[in-house]
Structures are given as structure tokens and as C-alpha cells.
Amino acid sequence: MKGVEFKPKLFETLKNYSRANLMTDVMAGVIVGIVALPLAIAFGIASGVSPEKGIITAIVAGFIVSFLGGSKVQIGGPTGAFIVIIYGIIQQYGIEGLMVATMMAGVLLVLLGVFKLGTIIKFIPYPIIVGFTSGIALTIFTTQIADVFGLRFGDEKVPGDFIGKWMLYARHFDTVNWWNVAVSIVSIVVIALTPRLSRKMPGSLVAIVLVTAGVYFLKMYGGVDCIDTIGDRFSIKSQLPEAAVPSLNWEAVKNLFPVAITIAVLGAIESLLSATVADGVIGDRHDSNTELIAQGIANIASPVLGGIPATGAIARTMTNINNGGRSPVAGIVHAVVLLLILLFLMPLAQYIPMACLAGVLVVVSYNMSGWRVFKGLLRNPKSDVVVLLMTFFLTVIFDLTVAIEVGLVIACVLFMKRVMETTEISVITDEIDPNKESDMEMHEEHLAVPDGVEVYEINGPYFFGIATKFEEIMARLGDRPKIRIIRMRKVPFIDSTGIHNLTTFCEMSQKENIHLILSGVNPQVHAVLEKAGFYEMLGKENICSNINEALDVARKELNG
């Protein structure tokens, strides 16, 4: 497509690639692959799918994002942010619905990149990002309570909503399995202590290896058989599934489109934030649009091969950087490592205790919550606090789709309110001080405004909110001068509502025999007004480049 800029970083970095670079990237890729293993399994299970689906996602998305992406060090795969969305989709639409929604989201991501909207995604307000990230963290924590405490619900199905889950937990809290609690606590403690001993070793992997070994011996030699493992709940397959394309129909596409938008927006935000953070560490600059196209292709391919939604994973990306990864080769190696683990070592995953994975996800949710940042934002202006809390509570109580939609609408409304507050409209009836002006000749001490002439200064964008404000000022003044000069030197743009308002104002002025002159119109606004027919309505001579010309025209009209 003409104009599409698709420049994967892999091909750029391979131009000056050396054997030393390869060795460093291979080591980083192996470590990242090992780190990604427990997280991929945990995210898969928490999302309501089988463990291998999480690993397949990390393999497929990890390879495509590194091969085609716009960042040198981005690692793609399943993330905690998608757990809530995926779980809800599966409950309502099943696995096939998830496949359709993920592929639609992939197409949307590709379109965002093709139409060069990558930079716009970065301007989503920070309170919205923190609000739904913290909300997701609390929701993930909530989903793990049952496994942390080993609760039994009998024939009752776990509700999808936040309040319903806690009500179910409260009713069945007498079924607590203290062995599960001990396993979860030990897992959390190991993860917390591992960085103090070695920053190279992933705490989640250390916890899974140690706790799984301990639980295995307890079951074999200690007579403890009340600790559920992955093998007790899932049948694990050590193979890549055959490619399958879901059946598409208009009804399914229509119902799943809002969910697909949520997946796409969340995926775009998370991947570009991760890439931006990585840029700051390695001193590089990613290509946002190329990254979005790669993320889109990854999300189209992942469900076809049995995976779930994926995006850039900031924790794994930082692990890659900290272990020396400096090119997409490290991400490709990480995908190969996970593929080998899936094919040859996956049966061992059946011994991993569910309570241990729950402990891993509790730590993930804690790190994701960013409670210190959340607390700090509560000291910001009230409008930001409203957006933050609204997004947070909507994410927790309803779902992420509603939270993102409402949060963005609120943020846009508040933005427009702030723009309106910064745009001023003033009325000048006596004289203009040249020392405060920029669009007039400076040889006059003061420029007198003739009797019967009023000058209206608009300082800021002339869009629909300001158009109404301008009308209110006109109505409040209530006077009828012979000539009105609308000074637009500080109007950077005008929208369709502003044009409509200005047109109506011109027509009203003409009916009242009030002559209207526009002054200081910049080239961009001038072009818009010309297309809208203002030359024909006012006459070309009444659209002036500066206030001197406008006042000269006014004087001629008064003397005419």
C-alpha cells in the first residue's frame, strides 16, 4: 500500500551484526525463554484455557513480534492485562468466539499501523492507563483467591464478575485447604527473596521448581494428596496444534466487535508503552507503526495456531535488556527455546501445583497494580482523579471494555473543557495597544477603534464548544454596532460547528444590516473559510490579513 512505512528492526540490525552480538542475543533469548515459561503457563490457565495455549501464544507471538516488529528488544506474548478479557469472552462466546475476537483485534492493530496512528495511541491520558492497569491487577488477584486458599465450590460455577466472585468465596470459605495456603505463601516468599540472591535468576521459575519438587515429595512420601496440580485439571499436549480458522458470520463479528476494539486498544497501549520504556534504557527509538502492524499479524496468527491474544510484555522485555539482548534475534531465540520446552519438557508441567501458579500471579498482580503511582495520582487535579477512579472502578466492577470506552469519553470531554477554558473571547470598543499586538504595523502609538465599530478577539481554537460561548457573548452584549470585526489571528483551526456558527452569525448580522469583517485569518483557517463559501458571503475584501486592513475597510464603510 502506498505510503505505508513498514520497516522491521530485525533487517536493520542484521546489516552490522557480528558473532559477538549473536552470542549475547542467544544467551539473553535463552534466559527470557526460561522466564517466560511459568508466566505463559500461569496466564494461560488464569485466562480459562489450557497451559499449552499460553506457551503457544508466547512462541507464535514472540517470534512474529521480534521478526517483524519496530523495536529491537520487544518481547511479545501473553500478558496479565488480557486475563480478564479472555476469561469473559470464553464464558460468553466460547473458544471460537475468542479466536474471532482476537483475529479481529489483529486486523484493527494492522490498520492502526497502516494508517500511521501509532503515535496517537501514546497520547491516551496517563490516569486512564493507571486506572485500568490497577483495576486489572485487582481483578487478577481476585481470580486467584480460590487457588490460593484451595476453596471448593461443589456444583456452583464461578461467576465472571468481581462482586459475584467475592460473594462465592465468602459462602465457601469454610472449605479452606491450608496446604494450598502454605504452598502459595512459600511461592510468594521465594519469588520475593530470589532477586536478593541473584538478579539473573527469575524468581517465578525458582519458586515453581522448588515448590513443585517439594509438593511432589509430599505426595509421594508424605501422604499429602490434597494439593491440586496442573495435571489434576488439564490434559497437557506436547505438540503444536493444527492450524484452524474459525467460522465467521456477521452476527458473531457484530457482537464481538466492541471486545475486539478493547483487545486492540489494550494491546496497542501495552506494546507501545513497553517499547517506549525499552527505548529509554537502550537509547534507541522504536517505530510505533511497524510495531503495531507486527502486533496485529501476531494476533491474527496466534488464534489460528491455538493461541490467545498477545502484546508486548514489559517484564520480559526488561529481562531481555538486562541480560544483554540488543536485537530482535534474542526474541526469536526466546520463541525457539519455548518451542523446544513445549515439545520435549511439557509433560513435567503436570506436576506444578495450582497454588504455586496462584502465588506467581499474586506477585504479578502486585507488581502490576502500581499502587504507589495510583496513590500519587490522587493528589493531582480533580478531573484527573475522576478519570482515574472512574476507570478503576469500571474495570473492577464491570469489565475492561466498558472501562476503556467510558474512560476515553471522559478524558476527551475533560480535554475539551480545558481547551474551552483556555480559549478567550474579548470585546474592544475604544483603542488597540500596538505594544500588545503582533499582526499590525507598529508606527502608530495607539490604534483607535472608530465609533460604531466593535472588535471581537478570539484567542484559541474555534470549535463547537467555543462557538456556543461566542454566541452567548453576542446575546449578552445585546448592542447593535454598525460594523463588527472578528479578529482571528490566534485561532489555529476551525471545525465544522465553528463554521456553521460563524455562517449563522454572518447571516444574522446581514439581516440586522451590520457589516462583518474578519481579521488576521491564518492560511489554514483562510483555506477552510474559502471552501465554506465565505468569499461569496462576505466578499473577499472583508477577509483581511491584519487589524490595520480591517480598520481601513471599516472606515471606508462608515464614510461610504
Side-chain angles (χ1 to χ4, degrees):
M1 183 181 291
K2 188 179 178 181
V4 176
E5 294 180 6
F6 182 59
K7 299 176 181 177
K9 285 285 185 177
L10 175 65
F11 306 111
E12 178 187 316
T13 54
L14 288 180
K15 291 177 182 177
N16 300 305
Y17 203 65
S18 66
R19 185 174 179 180
N21 296 140
L22 176 63
M23 295 306 296
T24 305
D25 284 336
V26 168
M27 285 302 299
V30 170
I31 294 170
V32 176
I34 293 170
V35 170
L37 176 65
L39 294 175
I41 292 173
F43 292 149
I45 292 174
S47 299
V49 297
S50 57
E52 68 266 17
K53 285 187 179 294
I55 297 181
I56 289 167
T57 306
I59 294 169
V60 175
F63 178 84
I64 292 174
V65 168
S66 293
F67 191 79
L68 298 176
S71 169
K72 288 183 179 180
V73 292
Q74 180 91 282
I75 302 294
T79 65
F82 284 127
I83 289 175
V84 183
I85 303 173
I86 297 169
Y87 189 83
I89 295 172
I90 292 174
Q91 280 202 325
Q92 192 169 355
Y93 301 103
I95 290 291
E96 191 159 275
L98 175 64
M99 292 175 69
V100 173
T102 306
M103 293 177 73
M104 287 168 61
V107 173
L108 291 173
L109 283 166
V110 171
L111 292 175
L112 285 174
V114 166
F115 291 109
K116 302 179 181 179
L117 298 176
T119 51
I120 294 176
I121 294 292
K122 296 177 183 178
F123 294 109
I124 290 179
Y126 191 55
I128 289 183
I129 295 171
V130 174
F132 70 63
T133 303
S134 299
I136 291 167
L138 180 57
T139 308
I140 293 171
F141 174 77
T142 299
T143 62
Q144 299 309 303
I145 293 297
D147 285 329
V148 167
F149 291 96
L151 303 179
R152 303 289 179 182
F153 307 125
D155 296 329
E156 283 194 68
K157 190 177 179 181
V158 179
D161 63 293
F162 177 82
I163 295 173
K165 280 189 177 75
W166 282 105
M167 290 175 67
L168 180 69
Y169 298 158
R171 287 198 302 272
H172 295 274
F173 208 75
D174 56 343
T175 63
V176 171
N177 179 338
W178 293 106
W179 281 106
N180 274 50
V181 176
V183 168
S184 294
I185 291 173
V186 170
S187 302
I188 292 169
V189 170
V190 170
I191 294 171
L193 293 179
T194 300
R196 298 184 182 183
L197 302 174
S198 172
R199 292 203 168 271
K200 295 286 185 182
M201 291 295 291
S204 55
L205 183 67
V206 173
I208 284 177
V209 170
L210 293 180
V211 173
T212 300
V215 169
Y216 178 80
F217 282 106
L218 281 174
K219 283 193 167 190
M220 293 295 293
Y221 305 110
V224 178
D225 58 357
C226 59
I227 304 173
D228 282 354
T229 62
I230 291 177
D232 294 328
R233 297 192 193 176
F234 300 95
S235 175
I236 299 174
K237 299 175 183 177
S238 298
Q239 61 185 43
L240 284 171
E242 294 182 4
V245 179
S247 57
L248 295 172
N249 61 75
W250 174 243
E251 198 63 29
V253 170
K254 188 169 64 174
N255 291 336
L256 289 166
F257 189 68
V259 182
I261 291 175
T262 303
I263 294 173
V265 170
L266 186 60
I269 292 170
E270 194 166 3
S271 62
L272 295 184
L273 280 177
S274 175
T276 302
V277 171
D279 286 349
V281 178
I282 67 172
D284 192 51
R285 185 169 182 150
H286 74 279
D287 184 325
S288 298
N289 297 312
T290 298
E291 185 65 23
L292 287 180
I293 293 172
Q295 295 286 345
I297 295 171
N299 278 285
I300 294 170
S302 177
V304 171
L305 294 171
I308 57 178
T311 184
I314 191 163
R316 276 156 276 173
T317 298
M318 291 306 298
T319 302
N320 182 31
I321 294 170
N322 292 337
N323 286 280
R326 288 297 181 272
S327 86
V329 173
I332 293 171
V333 171
H334 131 272
V336 173
V337 168
L338 286 172
L339 176 61
L340 295 174
I341 291 172
L342 173 68
L343 296 177
F344 301 109
L345 299 176
M346 197 59 189
L348 295 176
Q350 65 183 312
Y351 300 110
I352 299 174
M354 295 299 297
C356 179
L357 285 181
V360 170
L361 286 174
V362 165
V363 175
V364 168
S365 64
Y366 175 81
N367 293 333
M368 191 177 179
S369 68
W371 63 270
R372 291 182 181 86
V373 176
F374 191 100
K375 183 180 176 184
L377 283 175
L378 292 175
R379 295 193 292 268
N380 281 14
K382 287 183 180 179
S383 57
D384 287 343
V385 175
V386 168
V387 172
L388 174 70
L389 295 178
M390 184 79 75
T391 311
F392 174 77
F393 285 115
L394 286 172
T395 302
V396 171
I397 297 172
F398 294 97
D399 61 48
L400 200 58
T401 304
V402 175
I404 287 180
E405 290 171 354
V406 175
L408 287 174
V409 169
I410 293 172
C412 289
V413 170
L414 290 172
F415 171 75
M416 287 186 289
K417 179 176 178 291
R418 285 173 183 167
V419 172
M420 285 178 62
E421 288 170 350
T422 57
T423 301
E424 298 176 349
I425 300 173
S426 56
V427 183
I428 304 169
T429 57
D430 46 12
E431 59 183 19
I432 300 170
D433 184 352
N435 295 317
K436 298 178 181 178
E437 309 303 323
S438 59
D439 71 329
M440 58 183 287
E441 297 173 19
M442 305 302 289
H443 61 268
E444 299 183 53
E445 292 184 3
H446 284 83
L447 200 60
V449 176
D451 292 337
V453 177
E454 285 184 352
V455 179
Y456 304 91
E457 173 93 31
I458 303 174
N459 185 358
Y462 194 173
F463 68 114
F464 58 89
I466 303 308
T468 306
K469 190 174 180 180
F470 188 66
E471 281 183 348
E472 290 172 355
I473 289 176
M474 293 296 103
R476 193 164 61 243
L477 287 172
D479 57 353
R480 295 289 181 271
K482 292 180 181 179
I483 298 174
R484 283 174 175 157
I485 298 175
I486 301 178
R487 208 166 177 201
M488 302 177 70
R489 66 197 175 117
K490 294 181 180 177
V491 176
F493 69 86
I494 184 169
D495 73 351
S496 56
T497 308
I499 291 170
H500 172 72
N501 172 270
L502 198 56
T503 303
T504 304
F505 183 63
C506 288
E507 290 171 350
M508 287 173 59
S509 296
Q510 287 171 351
K511 284 179 184 178
E512 295 170 352
N513 293 317
I514 299 173
H515 192 87
L516 202 64
I517 302 170
L518 303 184
S519 167
V521 181
N522 73 35
Q524 183 180 345
V525 176
H526 203 288
V528 173
L529 295 180
E530 185 178 358
K531 284 183 181 179
F534 271 79
Y535 275 7
E536 292 77 9
M537 184 181 299
L538 294 180
K540 189 174 181 179
E541 69 280 1
N542 291 312
I543 302 178
C544 305
S545 59
N546 59 61
I547 191 63
N548 296 78
E549 287 183 22
L551 287 171
D552 286 342
V553 172
R555 290 190 191 98
K556 288 177 184 176
E557 181 66 24
L558 288 171
N559 297 328

